[in-house]
Amino acid sequence: MQICKVCSDKEAIYCCPRCSIRTCSLQCVTIHKKNTECSGKRNVTSYISLQEFNEANLKDDINFLESTAKRAKSDDSVGYSVLNKPAEHLNCNKMVLAKLSKAASLRNIEYRLAPFLTARRKSNSTFCNCNHPKKVNSSTKMFWHVRWVLNNRKVEDRKVDEDLKIKEMLENLMNQNGTESNETLSFTKPLSGSLQSKTLIEKGDCVSELTSRLLFRSEFEQAFGGQFKTGGATLASICIGMLAEHLNQPKAIYLFDQNKTLRDNLDGKVVVEHPILLLIPSSAVEEYTLI
């Protein structure tokens, strides 16, 4: 039996969520808060070791994430109502997801989403050239966000036409000279205020992306013994596979045919947000589980 830490008389039946002080009554709780200036609210960001982590902590974390998501949605609603465009903007994300899901379904692709608010969900730039889900049909084109992975290096490829062959996608990735990024970094007139801040952020993103591409190419040269050459023998020594993320196995992949389009290769596959394509030396394919 634990005794109340305030009155030291009765059995403690309450525990302060913030400092874990044991108390016996509402009166002692009030005294505790007054004397220690304790808020009585749990510190949701405090560190808890794995040994001490329990089901109650898990529930608290889930509640915290749900409340954060609701708050973010509420803040967005306020901002959009000020702009007097609530319907258009609030339904924007839902409409995009509806278009992607329908377009993927017509291609025999099982399209899945990552959890809400995750970086994967927010960074996905996949889209289709259609204005409304009801207008999506078999002729609607999809432009995929593709992540290329080689060993510990990765690079993001955006607006990838689904009708490109896999080898053409790789050639485009390896032969791009960063012209688009460099053009984004050049400005014709000085900017000021918040627009300047926004531009600096975009400029930083472009530099970061260009750096990622350069490091990726360097990794490629080390892994495959030389620079990539269009139409060269390098492609014969490379196998390209898409990570089967839904299986939760780090080495489960769908092996892609380089001579087929991205659309054909994705037929019948499960895609979580966007494809993650692994560049694998032909000699190392046996280390992977082929789906």
Short mmCIF file of all heavy atoms in Angstrom, two decimals, residues 8-60:
data_model
loop_
_atom_site.label_atom_id
_atom_site.label_comp_id
_atom_site.label_asym_id
_atom_site.label_seq_id
_atom_site.Cartn_x
_atom_site.Cartn_y
_atom_site.Cartn_z
N SER A 8 0.38 12.32 3.90
CA SER A 8 1.09 11.22 4.58
C SER A 8 0.21 10.50 5.59
O SER A 8 0.68 10.02 6.64
CB SER A 8 2.35 11.76 5.29
OG SER A 8 3.21 12.38 4.38
N ASP A 9 -1.08 10.41 5.26
CA ASP A 9 -2.02 9.80 6.20
C ASP A 9 -2.82 8.68 5.56
O ASP A 9 -2.84 7.56 6.07
CB ASP A 9 -2.96 10.89 6.75
CG ASP A 9 -3.92 10.35 7.79
OD1 ASP A 9 -3.55 9.38 8.46
OD2 ASP A 9 -5.03 10.90 7.90
N LYS A 10 -3.45 8.98 4.43
CA LYS A 10 -4.34 8.00 3.80
C LYS A 10 -3.65 7.28 2.64
O LYS A 10 -2.60 7.70 2.16
CB LYS A 10 -5.60 8.70 3.31
CG LYS A 10 -6.41 9.36 4.43
CD LYS A 10 -7.64 10.05 3.86
CE LYS A 10 -8.42 10.74 4.97
NZ LYS A 10 -9.60 11.47 4.43
N GLU A 11 -4.32 6.21 2.20
CA GLU A 11 -3.80 5.43 1.08
C GLU A 11 -3.94 6.23 -0.22
O GLU A 11 -4.98 6.83 -0.49
CB GLU A 11 -4.58 4.12 0.95
CG GLU A 11 -4.10 3.25 -0.21
CD GLU A 11 -4.92 1.99 -0.36
OE1 GLU A 11 -5.80 1.73 0.50
OE2 GLU A 11 -4.71 1.25 -1.34
N ALA A 12 -2.87 6.23 -1.02
CA ALA A 12 -2.89 6.98 -2.29
C ALA A 12 -3.68 6.21 -3.35
O ALA A 12 -3.49 5.01 -3.53
CB ALA A 12 -1.46 7.20 -2.76
N ILE A 13 -4.59 6.91 -4.02
CA ILE A 13 -5.40 6.28 -5.07
C ILE A 13 -5.26 7.00 -6.42
O ILE A 13 -5.75 6.54 -7.43
CB ILE A 13 -6.89 6.23 -4.68
CG1 ILE A 13 -7.41 7.63 -4.36
CG2 ILE A 13 -7.09 5.30 -3.50
CD1 ILE A 13 -8.91 7.67 -4.05
N TYR A 14 -4.56 8.14 -6.41
CA TYR A 14 -4.35 8.90 -7.65
C TYR A 14 -2.85 9.01 -7.93
O TYR A 14 -2.03 9.01 -7.00
CB TYR A 14 -4.96 10.30 -7.57
CG TYR A 14 -6.45 10.32 -7.28
CD1 TYR A 14 -6.92 10.80 -6.05
CD2 TYR A 14 -7.35 9.88 -8.22
CE1 TYR A 14 -8.29 10.81 -5.77
CE2 TYR A 14 -8.71 9.89 -7.96
CZ TYR A 14 -9.17 10.36 -6.73
OH TYR A 14 -10.52 10.36 -6.47
N CYS A 15 -2.54 9.17 -9.20
CA CYS A 15 -1.14 9.35 -9.60
C CYS A 15 -1.07 10.51 -10.59
O CYS A 15 -1.77 10.50 -11.61
CB CYS A 15 -0.58 8.07 -10.23
SG CYS A 15 1.14 8.22 -10.77
N CYS A 16 -0.24 11.49 -10.32
CA CYS A 16 -0.12 12.66 -11.20
C CYS A 16 0.46 12.23 -12.55
O CYS A 16 1.55 11.63 -12.59
CB CYS A 16 0.77 13.71 -10.55
SG CYS A 16 1.02 15.16 -11.60
N PRO A 17 -0.21 12.53 -13.67
CA PRO A 17 0.29 12.13 -14.99
C PRO A 17 1.64 12.74 -15.34
O PRO A 17 2.39 12.17 -16.14
CB PRO A 17 -0.80 12.64 -15.95
CG PRO A 17 -2.02 12.79 -15.10
CD PRO A 17 -1.51 13.20 -13.75
N ARG A 18 1.96 13.89 -14.74
CA ARG A 18 3.19 14.58 -15.10
C ARG A 18 4.39 14.17 -14.24
O ARG A 18 5.44 13.85 -14.75
CB ARG A 18 3.00 16.09 -15.04
CG ARG A 18 4.21 16.86 -15.58
CD ARG A 18 3.91 18.33 -15.76
NE ARG A 18 5.02 19.00 -16.44
CZ ARG A 18 5.15 19.09 -17.76
NH1 ARG A 18 4.26 18.51 -18.55
NH2 ARG A 18 6.18 19.72 -18.29
N CYS A 19 4.20 14.19 -12.92
CA CYS A 19 5.35 13.92 -12.04
C CYS A 19 5.21 12.63 -11.23
O CYS A 19 6.07 12.33 -10.40
CB CYS A 19 5.59 15.10 -11.11
SG CYS A 19 4.16 15.55 -10.11
N SER A 20 4.10 11.91 -11.43
CA SER A 20 3.89 10.58 -10.80
C SER A 20 3.76 10.63 -9.28
O SER A 20 3.96 9.62 -8.61
CB SER A 20 5.02 9.63 -11.19
OG SER A 20 5.07 9.46 -12.58
N ILE A 21 3.47 11.80 -8.73
CA ILE A 21 3.25 11.92 -7.28
C ILE A 21 1.92 11.25 -6.92
O ILE A 21 0.90 11.47 -7.59
CB ILE A 21 3.23 13.40 -6.85
CG1 ILE A 21 4.63 14.00 -6.98
CG2 ILE A 21 2.71 13.56 -5.43
CD1 ILE A 21 5.64 13.41 -6.02
N ARG A 22 1.90 10.45 -5.85
CA ARG A 22 0.70 9.74 -5.43
C ARG A 22 -0.08 10.57 -4.42
O ARG A 22 0.51 11.13 -3.46
CB ARG A 22 1.08 8.41 -4.78
CG ARG A 22 1.76 7.45 -5.71
CD ARG A 22 0.80 6.91 -6.74
NE ARG A 22 1.02 5.52 -7.01
CZ ARG A 22 0.20 4.76 -7.72
NH1 ARG A 22 -0.90 5.29 -8.21
NH2 ARG A 22 0.47 3.52 -7.96
N THR A 23 -1.39 10.66 -4.62
CA THR A 23 -2.25 11.43 -3.71
C THR A 23 -3.51 10.63 -3.39
O THR A 23 -3.83 9.66 -4.10
CB THR A 23 -2.65 12.78 -4.34
OG1 THR A 23 -3.18 12.55 -5.64
CG2 THR A 23 -1.45 13.71 -4.45
N CYS A 24 -4.22 11.08 -2.34
CA CYS A 24 -5.37 10.30 -1.88
C CYS A 24 -6.71 10.94 -2.21
O CYS A 24 -7.75 10.29 -2.17
CB CYS A 24 -5.28 10.09 -0.36
SG CYS A 24 -5.39 11.65 0.59
N SER A 25 -6.71 12.24 -2.51
CA SER A 25 -7.99 12.93 -2.71
C SER A 25 -7.81 14.15 -3.61
O SER A 25 -6.69 14.57 -3.89
CB SER A 25 -8.57 13.38 -1.36
OG SER A 25 -7.70 14.32 -0.75
N LEU A 26 -8.95 14.71 -4.01
CA LEU A 26 -8.93 15.91 -4.85
C LEU A 26 -8.28 17.07 -4.11
O LEU A 26 -7.55 17.88 -4.70
CB LEU A 26 -10.35 16.27 -5.27
CG LEU A 26 -10.50 17.52 -6.15
CD1 LEU A 26 -9.73 17.36 -7.45
CD2 LEU A 26 -11.98 17.80 -6.44
N GLN A 27 -8.51 17.14 -2.82
CA GLN A 27 -7.92 18.21 -2.02
C GLN A 27 -6.39 18.12 -2.03
O GLN A 27 -5.70 19.13 -2.20
CB GLN A 27 -8.43 18.13 -0.58
CG GLN A 27 -7.91 19.26 0.32
CD GLN A 27 -8.45 19.15 1.74
OE1 GLN A 27 -9.22 18.23 2.05
NE2 GLN A 27 -8.07 20.09 2.59
N CYS A 28 -5.87 16.92 -1.89
CA CYS A 28 -4.41 16.73 -1.90
C CYS A 28 -3.84 16.98 -3.30
O CYS A 28 -2.72 17.48 -3.43
CB CYS A 28 -4.06 15.32 -1.42
SG CYS A 28 -4.24 15.09 0.37
N VAL A 29 -4.61 16.64 -4.31
CA VAL A 29 -4.19 16.92 -5.68
C VAL A 29 -4.03 18.42 -5.89
O VAL A 29 -3.04 18.90 -6.46
CB VAL A 29 -5.20 16.34 -6.70
CG1 VAL A 29 -4.88 16.84 -8.12
CG2 VAL A 29 -5.17 14.82 -6.68
N THR A 30 -5.02 19.18 -5.42
CA THR A 30 -4.98 20.64 -5.54
C THR A 30 -3.80 21.24 -4.79
O THR A 30 -3.12 22.14 -5.29
CB THR A 30 -6.29 21.25 -5.01
OG1 THR A 30 -7.41 20.65 -5.68
CG2 THR A 30 -6.33 22.75 -5.23
N ILE A 31 -3.56 20.72 -3.59
CA ILE A 31 -2.43 21.21 -2.79
C ILE A 31 -1.11 20.91 -3.50
O ILE A 31 -0.20 21.74 -3.55
CB ILE A 31 -2.45 20.56 -1.39
CG1 ILE A 31 -3.68 21.02 -0.61
CG2 ILE A 31 -1.17 20.89 -0.62
CD1 ILE A 31 -3.88 20.30 0.71
N HIS A 32 -1.01 19.70 -4.04
CA HIS A 32 0.20 19.30 -4.77
C HIS A 32 0.47 20.24 -5.95
O HIS A 32 1.60 20.71 -6.13
CB HIS A 32 0.06 17.86 -5.27
CG HIS A 32 0.92 17.53 -6.44
ND1 HIS A 32 2.30 17.52 -6.37
CD2 HIS A 32 0.59 17.22 -7.73
CE1 HIS A 32 2.79 17.22 -7.56
NE2 HIS A 32 1.77 17.03 -8.40
N LYS A 33 -0.55 20.55 -6.73
CA LYS A 33 -0.39 21.42 -7.90
C LYS A 33 0.01 22.84 -7.47
O LYS A 33 0.84 23.48 -8.13
CB LYS A 33 -1.69 21.47 -8.71
CG LYS A 33 -2.00 20.19 -9.46
CD LYS A 33 -3.26 20.36 -10.29
CE LYS A 33 -3.55 19.11 -11.10
NZ LYS A 33 -4.79 19.26 -11.91
N LYS A 34 -0.59 23.29 -6.36
CA LYS A 34 -0.31 24.66 -5.89
C LYS A 34 1.12 24.78 -5.36
O LYS A 34 1.83 25.74 -5.64
CB LYS A 34 -1.32 25.04 -4.82
CG LYS A 34 -1.17 26.46 -4.32
CD LYS A 34 -2.24 26.79 -3.29
CE LYS A 34 -2.08 28.23 -2.79
NZ LYS A 34 -3.13 28.58 -1.78
N ASN A 35 1.55 23.79 -4.58
CA ASN A 35 2.87 23.85 -3.95
C ASN A 35 4.01 23.63 -4.95
O ASN A 35 5.09 24.21 -4.80
CB ASN A 35 2.96 22.81 -2.83
CG ASN A 35 2.05 23.14 -1.66
OD1 ASN A 35 1.60 24.28 -1.52
ND2 ASN A 35 1.77 22.16 -0.82
N THR A 36 3.79 22.78 -5.94
CA THR A 36 4.87 22.43 -6.88
C THR A 36 4.72 23.11 -8.24
O THR A 36 5.58 22.95 -9.11
CB THR A 36 4.91 20.91 -7.10
OG1 THR A 36 3.67 20.48 -7.67
CG2 THR A 36 5.18 20.18 -5.80
N GLU A 37 3.59 23.86 -8.41
CA GLU A 37 3.29 24.49 -9.69
C GLU A 37 3.26 23.47 -10.83
O GLU A 37 3.69 23.72 -11.95
CB GLU A 37 4.32 25.58 -10.01
CG GLU A 37 4.30 26.74 -9.01
CD GLU A 37 5.25 27.85 -9.40
OE1 GLU A 37 6.02 27.65 -10.37
OE2 GLU A 37 5.23 28.91 -8.75
N CYS A 38 2.76 22.30 -10.49
CA CYS A 38 2.64 21.22 -11.48
C CYS A 38 1.35 21.38 -12.27
O CYS A 38 0.29 21.67 -11.70
CB CYS A 38 2.66 19.86 -10.78
SG CYS A 38 2.37 18.46 -11.87
N SER A 39 1.40 21.20 -13.58
CA SER A 39 0.21 21.36 -14.42
C SER A 39 -0.70 20.15 -14.36
O SER A 39 -1.89 20.24 -14.68
CB SER A 39 0.63 21.59 -15.87
OG SER A 39 1.28 20.44 -16.39
N GLY A 40 -0.16 19.01 -13.95
CA GLY A 40 -0.97 17.79 -13.90
C GLY A 40 -1.18 17.14 -15.25
O GLY A 40 -1.89 16.14 -15.36
N LYS A 41 -0.55 17.70 -16.29
CA LYS A 41 -0.69 17.13 -17.64
C LYS A 41 0.59 16.39 -18.02
O LYS A 41 1.70 16.88 -17.78
CB LYS A 41 -0.96 18.24 -18.65
CG LYS A 41 -2.29 18.93 -18.43
CD LYS A 41 -2.52 20.00 -19.50
CE LYS A 41 -3.86 20.70 -19.28
NZ LYS A 41 -4.08 21.76 -20.31
N ARG A 42 0.42 15.23 -18.62
CA ARG A 42 1.57 14.42 -19.00
C ARG A 42 2.41 15.12 -20.06
O ARG A 42 1.88 15.74 -20.98
CB ARG A 42 1.11 13.07 -19.56
CG ARG A 42 2.24 12.09 -19.83
CD ARG A 42 1.70 10.77 -20.32
NE ARG A 42 1.31 10.83 -21.73
CZ ARG A 42 2.12 10.56 -22.75
NH1 ARG A 42 3.37 10.23 -22.52
NH2 ARG A 42 1.68 10.62 -23.98
N ASN A 43 3.72 15.02 -19.92
CA ASN A 43 4.64 15.54 -20.93
C ASN A 43 4.70 14.54 -22.07
O ASN A 43 5.36 13.50 -21.98
CB ASN A 43 6.03 15.77 -20.32
CG ASN A 43 6.99 16.37 -21.31
OD1 ASN A 43 6.61 16.70 -22.44
ND2 ASN A 43 8.23 16.53 -20.91
N VAL A 44 3.98 14.84 -23.15
CA VAL A 44 3.83 13.86 -24.24
C VAL A 44 5.12 13.60 -25.00
O VAL A 44 5.24 12.62 -25.74
CB VAL A 44 2.73 14.31 -25.23
CG1 VAL A 44 1.37 14.32 -24.56
CG2 VAL A 44 3.06 15.70 -25.80
N THR A 45 6.10 14.48 -24.85
CA THR A 45 7.36 14.31 -25.59
C THR A 45 8.50 13.80 -24.69
O THR A 45 9.64 13.75 -25.14
CB THR A 45 7.79 15.63 -26.23
OG1 THR A 45 7.96 16.62 -25.21
CG2 THR A 45 6.75 16.11 -27.24
N SER A 46 8.19 13.47 -23.46
CA SER A 46 9.25 13.00 -22.55
C SER A 46 9.74 11.61 -22.97
O SER A 46 8.98 10.80 -23.53
CB SER A 46 8.73 12.95 -21.12
OG SER A 46 7.67 12.02 -21.00
N TYR A 47 11.00 11.35 -22.69
CA TYR A 47 11.60 10.06 -23.07
C TYR A 47 11.16 8.95 -22.13
O TYR A 47 11.14 9.12 -20.91
CB TYR A 47 13.13 10.16 -23.05
CG TYR A 47 13.82 8.83 -23.26
CD1 TYR A 47 13.88 8.25 -24.53
CD2 TYR A 47 14.37 8.16 -22.19
CE1 TYR A 47 14.50 7.03 -24.70
CE2 TYR A 47 15.00 6.92 -22.36
CZ TYR A 47 15.05 6.36 -23.63
OH TYR A 47 15.66 5.15 -23.82
N ILE A 48 10.80 7.81 -22.70
CA ILE A 48 10.45 6.63 -21.93
C ILE A 48 11.26 5.46 -22.47
O ILE A 48 11.20 5.17 -23.68
CB ILE A 48 8.94 6.30 -22.02
CG1 ILE A 48 8.12 7.48 -21.50
CG2 ILE A 48 8.62 5.04 -21.23
CD1 ILE A 48 6.62 7.28 -21.65
N SER A 49 12.02 4.82 -21.62
CA SER A 49 12.87 3.71 -22.08
C SER A 49 12.01 2.54 -22.51
O SER A 49 10.84 2.41 -22.11
CB SER A 49 13.81 3.27 -20.96
OG SER A 49 13.08 2.72 -19.88
N LEU A 50 12.57 1.67 -23.32
CA LEU A 50 11.84 0.52 -23.84
C LEU A 50 11.40 -0.40 -22.71
O LEU A 50 10.32 -1.00 -22.78
CB LEU A 50 12.74 -0.25 -24.83
CG LEU A 50 12.07 -1.38 -25.62
CD1 LEU A 50 10.92 -0.82 -26.47
CD2 LEU A 50 13.08 -2.08 -26.50
N GLN A 51 12.19 -0.50 -21.67
CA GLN A 51 11.85 -1.36 -20.54
C GLN A 51 10.63 -0.83 -19.77
O GLN A 51 9.83 -1.60 -19.24
CB GLN A 51 13.04 -1.48 -19.58
CG GLN A 51 14.22 -2.27 -20.11
CD GLN A 51 15.05 -1.49 -21.11
OE1 GLN A 51 14.87 -0.26 -21.22
NE2 GLN A 51 15.93 -2.16 -21.84
N GLU A 52 10.49 0.49 -19.73
CA GLU A 52 9.39 1.11 -18.99
C GLU A 52 8.15 1.33 -19.85
O GLU A 52 7.07 1.62 -19.34
CB GLU A 52 9.85 2.47 -18.42
CG GLU A 52 11.00 2.35 -17.43
CD GLU A 52 11.50 3.71 -17.00
OE1 GLU A 52 11.21 4.70 -17.71
OE2 GLU A 52 12.18 3.80 -15.97
N PHE A 53 8.30 1.18 -21.17
CA PHE A 53 7.19 1.45 -22.08
C PHE A 53 6.12 0.36 -21.92
O PHE A 53 6.40 -0.84 -21.98
CB PHE A 53 7.69 1.47 -23.52
CG PHE A 53 6.71 2.07 -24.49
CD1 PHE A 53 6.63 3.44 -24.66
CD2 PHE A 53 5.85 1.27 -25.24
CE1 PHE A 53 5.74 4.01 -25.55
CE2 PHE A 53 4.96 1.83 -26.12
CZ PHE A 53 4.90 3.20 -26.29
N ASN A 54 4.87 0.79 -21.70
CA ASN A 54 3.78 -0.18 -21.50
C ASN A 54 2.58 0.18 -22.36
O ASN A 54 2.62 1.13 -23.16
CB ASN A 54 3.39 -0.23 -20.02
CG ASN A 54 3.06 1.15 -19.46
OD1 ASN A 54 2.48 2.00 -20.15
ND2 ASN A 54 3.44 1.38 -18.21
N GLU A 55 1.49 -0.56 -22.18
CA GLU A 55 0.29 -0.36 -22.99
C GLU A 55 -0.31 1.03 -22.78
O GLU A 55 -0.82 1.65 -23.72
CB GLU A 55 -0.74 -1.43 -22.66
CG GLU A 55 -1.97 -1.40 -23.57
CD GLU A 55 -2.94 -2.52 -23.30
OE1 GLU A 55 -2.60 -3.42 -22.50
OE2 GLU A 55 -4.03 -2.50 -23.88
N ALA A 56 -0.23 1.52 -21.55
CA ALA A 56 -0.77 2.85 -21.25
C ALA A 56 -0.01 3.93 -22.03
O ALA A 56 -0.61 4.87 -22.56
CB ALA A 56 -0.69 3.13 -19.75
N ASN A 57 1.33 3.79 -22.10
CA ASN A 57 2.13 4.74 -22.87
C ASN A 57 1.77 4.68 -24.35
O ASN A 57 1.73 5.72 -25.03
CB ASN A 57 3.62 4.44 -22.69
CG ASN A 57 4.08 4.55 -21.25
OD1 ASN A 57 4.73 3.66 -20.73
ND2 ASN A 57 3.73 5.64 -20.59
N LEU A 58 1.53 3.48 -24.86
CA LEU A 58 1.15 3.32 -26.26
C LEU A 58 -0.16 4.03 -26.55
O LEU A 58 -0.29 4.74 -27.56
CB LEU A 58 1.04 1.83 -26.60
CG LEU A 58 0.60 1.49 -28.04
CD1 LEU A 58 1.59 2.05 -29.05
CD2 LEU A 58 0.45 -0.01 -28.21
N LYS A 59 -1.13 3.87 -25.67
CA LYS A 59 -2.42 4.53 -25.86
C LYS A 59 -2.27 6.05 -25.81
O LYS A 59 -2.90 6.78 -26.58
CB LYS A 59 -3.41 4.07 -24.79
CG LYS A 59 -3.86 2.62 -24.95
CD LYS A 59 -4.84 2.22 -23.86
CE LYS A 59 -5.31 0.79 -24.04
NZ LYS A 59 -6.24 0.37 -22.96
N ASP A 60 -1.42 6.52 -24.89
CA ASP A 60 -1.18 7.97 -24.79
C ASP A 60 -0.58 8.51 -26.08
O ASP A 60 -0.95 9.59 -26.56
CB ASP A 60 -0.24 8.26 -23.62
CG ASP A 60 -0.93 8.10 -22.27
OD1 ASP A 60 -2.17 8.15 -22.25
OD2 ASP A 60 -0.22 7.91 -21.27
#
